[in-house]
Structure formats: structure tokens, C-alpha cells
């Protein structure tokens, strides 16, 4: 079976790129699969994650101006070339199935080219973010949402990451396939380090500014603990976060560590994972934390964490209740037996997301598409 994945790029660290590397490598390891990845703006950069030598890459060199809207004239002028190059690439490859990974321009035209080829669209974000705009849309947004709903109905399958998301889709072609575990270490954290960890893209949606406020509360009583934040992102936002950390005098206990290619090692040397996102879909990083035996304290944001965390393996805190978050965090810090109990249960919980289990769902879906 020949599978073509379509994504904008794979040189920047991110959840979509990471999950793609896992799926693509898995299929490339199978004798009866041939894997291709089409990018639109790789810019001659090496992939940030490891990809099998068996995978064939092709970059279309569209290179949209990412700092501008896709509707900006300078980007709209690139659209005809993008459509033409994508159409030619798919025609040349003659794939059995095409999978659109990132939510960029190609999402909106790929269902309409080479219609006999089954096409799948993955969603790695929560449509909760569209809820308010869909209730009171302007004329442009109303037309745009109508078009996106139509486009989504033309895909053979829409892959969503949790069951709560299905209510946001107008079409009936959704299927839930969660993210697979990226690793399942033989050993787990001993939960003896006075270190709390979080990781992810440094962006407003992750709520790191709120986490700093929470840690200020924690630090007043737990001065022998540290919080390490791993990830990179907008330099201006990173600067604002560091300024806030310095303003609170937390620079010795709350550290922005930047990106790492070995988050597993950092998790194994930590004792608690935290998440303060405004919204999530199915955060891969929570699975990784549980695989390392870490209990998690997270806001109960829409909608990912509640599909992974329960009272036996972590703590879900009402959204934006900073005091409750800080109190739950300090409670775990000081109740070592409870910390170990939740860590053990976290490790057991994550076993249902093993690579073989999740990729079996993908294989079954691909095979069913070929039978249509």
C-alpha cells in the first residue's frame, strides 16, 4: 500500500510533526507499505525528528509568508501553483491513500483533486476554539464555516483525537483514533526529585503565563521545589514570560529550559507533570508523562486532558482556578504515597495507547477505504 502524507513542514518542533514521524516510520517498517511525505515549505531544512531512510520526501517549495494571513494577496498568488504542484505530485505517485496532517491551505482543495484516491484529514486541535465564532459569525466567517463544513464532508474520513470532538462536525465521516505513545521506557521516574515539569510549544494557548502565577503561590510554601518548562516558540512571548518570572523573583525556581530532543530523560528525572492550557485536543505530552510514571495536575480544559487523566492517576482542576491548582500541586508534593500511587496508575493507564494498538486502528481504516 502506498501512503502519501501531506504537511507544511517537518523542521519545526511540534506535536503534529512528532506524531507524523511516529506513524510514517511505523508504516515504512512494514513490508507491504510505501511511504511518501509531501511538504510545502521545508526550505531545505533537515527534519527535526528522526524519519526512516525508506520514506521518500518531496518539497513543493510553495513557501507561504507565514507571518501573513493565507488570505493576504501575497499568499493567494501562490495558491494556483500550490494546487498545480500538489495535483502533479499525487498523479505521479498514484497513492492508495492521501493523509492531510497539518491544517493549512491544502486542507481546502485536496478533496477535489484525483477524486478516486481516498483522502483522510487529521485534526490535531480542538474545534472548541470555533464555538463562539460559529454562534455569532460575521458575513465572511459565516461563508467560511459553510465552506469548511462542505470540504470536511468530502474527505473519506476525518480523524479526531477524542470522542468529545465529534459534536463539532457537521459531517458523519469522523473516526476517533488517539495519538500513539512515542515511547514506553523500561524504567519509570522514582518520583524522588523535587522537580515539576511541563513541555510544549511556547504559545498563549498553553497558558504558561497562568502557570507562572500558580507557581508564585506554590513557591511561597515550597521553596525547595523547581518548575522546568521545556519548549520553544514566539521569542516575544518567551521574553514576556521571562520578564514575569523575574518580576516575581522566581528565576531560581522556575526555569525556561528551551527545546529538548530528549524529553523522556527530563521526565524520568521529574516527579510531577503540569498543564495549564486554555484548550487541548489529545495532548501527546500527557501520554509521554504517564509512560514515565508521572502523575499529572492539569486544568480541565476543553477537551483533551479529561480523556487521559482521572482521579486515580492525576488531578483535573477547574479551569482558571489558580488557587485550587496550586493547592493540589502542593498536596502531591507532600503526600509521597499518593504521589507514587497516582504515578503507578498513570503508567498502567497509558498502556492502551501503545504504538501497535493505535497503528492497528490506522491500518484497519486504510484497508476499509480500499474496499469501498
Amino acid at each position: 500500500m502506498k501512503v502519501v502524507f501531506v504537511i507544511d513542514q517537518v523542521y519545526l518542533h511540534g506535536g503534529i510533526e512528532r506524531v507524523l514521524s511516529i506513524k510514517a516510520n511505523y508504516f515504512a517498517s512494514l513490508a507491504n507499505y510505501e511511504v511518501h511525505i509531501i511538504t510545502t515549505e521545508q526550505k531545505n531544512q533537515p527534519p527535526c525528528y528522526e524519519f526512516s531512510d525508506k520514506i521518500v520526501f518531496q518539497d513543493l517549495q510553495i513557501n507561504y509568508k507565514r507571518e501573513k494571513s493565507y488570505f493576504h494577496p501575497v499568499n493567494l498568488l501562490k495558491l494556483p501553483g500550490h494546487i498545480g504542484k500538489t495535483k502533479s505530485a499525487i498523479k505521479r505517485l498514484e497513492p492508495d491513500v492521501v493523509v492531510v496532517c497539518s491544517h493549512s491551505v491544502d486542507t481546502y482543495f485536496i478533496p477535489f483533486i484525483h477524486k478516486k484516491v481516498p483522502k483522510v484529514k487529521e485534526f490535531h486541535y480542538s474545534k472548541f476554539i470555533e464555538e463562539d465564532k460559529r454562534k455569532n459569525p460575521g458575513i465572511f466567517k459565516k461563508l467560511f464555516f459553510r465552506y469548511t463544513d462542505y470540504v470536511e464532508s468530502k474527505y473519506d474520513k476525518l480523524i479526531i483525537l477524542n470522542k468529545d470532538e465529534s459534536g463539532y462536525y457537521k459531517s458523519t465521516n469522523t473516526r476517533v483514533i488517539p495519538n500513539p505513545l512515542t515511547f514506553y521506557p523500561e524504567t519509570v521516574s522514582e518520583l524522588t526529585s523535587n522537580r515539576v515539569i511541563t513541555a510544549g510549544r511556547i504559545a498563549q494557548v498553553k497558558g504558561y503565563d497562568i502557570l507562572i502565577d500558580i507557581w508564585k503561590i506554590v513557591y511561597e510554601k515550597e521553596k525547595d521545589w523547581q518548575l522546568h518548562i521545556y519548549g520553544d516558540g514566539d521569542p516575544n512571548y518567551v521574553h514576556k514570560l521571562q520578564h514575569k518570572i523575574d518580576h516575581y523573583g522566581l528565576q531560581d525556581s522556575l526555569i525556561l529550559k528551551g527545546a529538548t530532543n530528549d524529553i523522556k530523560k527530563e521526565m524520568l528525572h521529574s516527579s510531577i507533570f503540569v498543564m495549564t492550557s486554555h484548550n487541548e485536543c489529545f495532548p501527546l505530552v500527557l501520554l509521554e508523562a504517564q509512560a514515565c510514571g508521572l502523575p499529572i495536575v492539569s486544568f480541565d480544559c476543553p477537551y483533551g486532558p479529561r480523556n487521559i487523566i482521572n482521579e486515580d492517576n492525576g488531578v483535573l482542576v477547574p479551569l482558571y482556578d489558580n488557587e485550587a491548582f496550586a493547592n493540589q500541586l502542593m498536596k502531591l508534593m507532600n503526600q509521597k504515597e499518593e504521589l507514587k500511587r497516582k504515578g503507578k496508575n498513570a503508567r498502567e493507564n497509558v498502556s492502551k495507547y501503545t504504538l501497535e494498538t493505535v497503528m492497528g486502528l490506522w491500518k484497519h481504516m486504510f484497508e476499509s477505504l480500499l474496499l469501498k
Side-chain angles (χ1 to χ4, degrees):
M1 180 180 291
K2 185 183 293 186
V3 181
V4 171
F5 292 99
V6 179
I7 192 170
D8 54 349
Q9 52 72 38
V10 290
Y11 69 88
L12 296 174
H13 286 267
I16 298 174
E17 293 78 14
R18 193 172 196 177
V19 171
L20 173 60
S21 70
I22 296 165
K23 292 203 299 280
N25 288 340
Y26 176 85
F27 284 122
S29 71
L30 302 180
N32 59 334
Y33 274 80
E34 180 180 330
V35 179
H36 295 255
I37 296 177
I38 296 175
T39 56
T40 56
E41 43 198 283
Q42 187 64 16
K43 300 179 180 178
N44 296 316
Q45 297 289 327
C48 60
Y49 298 109
E50 184 177 345
F51 285 88
S52 167
D53 292 338
K54 296 179 181 179
I55 298 171
V56 180
F57 282 87
Q58 177 183 353
D59 185 49
L60 302 183
Q61 299 182 347
I62 307 301
N63 298 330
Y64 287 104
K65 300 295 183 182
R66 297 291 291 271
E67 69 277 8
K68 299 182 183 296
S69 164
Y70 283 123
F71 295 101
H72 190 281
V74 72
N75 282 329
L76 287 176
L77 287 173
K78 295 177 179 287
L79 182 57
H82 186 181
I83 296 173
K85 287 183 177 181
T86 304
K87 190 174 182 178
S88 296
I90 292 175
K91 182 179 180 180
R92 177 180 61 81
L93 293 173
E94 297 183 338
D96 294 297
V97 63
V98 172
V99 182
V100 180
C101 302
S102 59
H103 198 67
S104 51
V105 178
D106 31 40
T107 295
Y108 303 105
F109 67 76
I110 281 186
F112 308 107
I113 60 177
H114 304 295
K115 293 183 179 180
K116 292 183 179 180
V117 179
K119 303 190 181 68
V120 176
K121 171 74 181 93
E122 297 181 49
F123 284 88
H124 290 268
Y125 71 94
S126 175
K127 281 215 173 187
F128 167 80
I129 63 175
E130 297 179 356
E131 193 172 41
D132 288 340
K133 293 178 181 178
R134 281 182 177 266
K135 288 178 180 177
N136 300 291
I139 294 176
F140 175 77
K141 277 292 183 183
K142 186 175 182 179
L143 293 173
F144 178 73
F145 286 137
R146 185 177 296 176
Y147 178 67
T148 58
D149 291 341
Y150 173 71
V151 169
E152 288 166 9
S153 72
K154 295 303 177 183
Y155 279 96
D156 293 88
K157 289 293 179 184
L158 303 177
I159 303 303
I160 57 178
L161 298 177
N162 68 68
K163 59 181 177 11
D164 295 312
E165 288 296 316
S166 59
Y168 291 115
Y169 293 84
K170 303 293 185 182
S171 54
T172 58
N173 55 345
T174 59
R175 179 165 183 180
V176 177
I177 302 182
N179 284 329
L181 263 174
T182 53
F183 51 72
Y184 194 73
E186 293 183 4
T187 59
V188 295
S189 170
E190 295 181 356
L191 304 182
T192 55
S193 168
N194 284 3
R195 183 166 81 164
V196 177
I197 189 173
T198 190
R201 179 169 49 96
I202 305 298
Q204 294 275 358
V205 70
K206 300 298 183 180
Y208 291 125
D209 53 329
I210 299 174
L211 182 56
I212 295 171
D213 292 330
I214 291 170
W215 192 255
K216 180 176 181 292
I217 300 171
V218 172
Y219 183 68
E220 291 175 358
K221 296 182 179 180
E222 303 292 343
K223 288 184 167 53
D224 57 342
W225 281 75
Q226 285 193 340
L227 168 61
H228 291 186
I229 299 176
Y230 286 89
D232 55 20
D234 177 19
N236 291 327
Y237 185 55
V238 174
H239 177 74
K240 288 179 180 178
L241 294 179
Q242 188 61 58
H243 178 75
K244 190 170 188 176
I245 292 168
D246 295 341
H247 175 71
Y248 284 159
L250 299 173
Q251 55 268 36
D252 292 331
S253 69
L254 201 171
I255 304 169
L256 301 177
K257 302 291 287 186
T260 176
N261 288 324
D262 196 356
I263 192 62
K264 176 176 66 174
K265 182 185 78 171
E266 304 304 335
M267 287 179 172
L268 289 172
H269 288 90
S270 303
S271 294
I272 304 172
F273 189 93
V274 291
M275 175 171 280
T276 51
S277 298
H278 296 279
N279 62 78
E280 288 284 349
C281 195
F282 195 86
L284 178 62
V285 70
L286 295 189
L287 300 184
E288 295 172 334
Q290 289 193 337
C292 292
L294 296 186
I296 299 167
V297 180
S298 171
F299 277 144
D300 186 15
C301 65
Y303 280 109
R306 71 180 62 167
N307 287 281
I308 298 171
I309 304 166
N310 58 49
E311 62 183 10
D312 290 325
N313 57 49
V315 183
L316 287 172
V317 179
L319 193 59
Y320 307 137
D321 191 337
N322 292 4
E323 288 283 348
F325 199 111
N327 288 335
Q328 290 293 339
L329 193 49
M330 289 186 287
K331 187 176 178 180
L332 273 182
M333 290 173 174
N334 291 293
Q335 295 182 357
K336 298 302 183 182
E337 290 306 313
E338 182 66 2
L339 185 73
K340 291 180 179 179
R341 184 185 75 85
K342 288 184 183 294
K344 179 176 180 292
N345 290 336
R347 172 79 165 187
E348 292 174 357
N349 176 67
V350 83
S351 62
K352 56 180 173 283
Y353 302 110
T354 61
L355 183 63
E356 288 296 331
T357 300
V358 174
M359 296 313 297
L361 298 175
W362 276 94
K363 284 173 62 180
H364 182 267
M365 191 253 310
F366 284 162
E367 291 163 2
S368 67
L369 290 177
L370 295 185
L371 295 175
K372 291 180 66 175

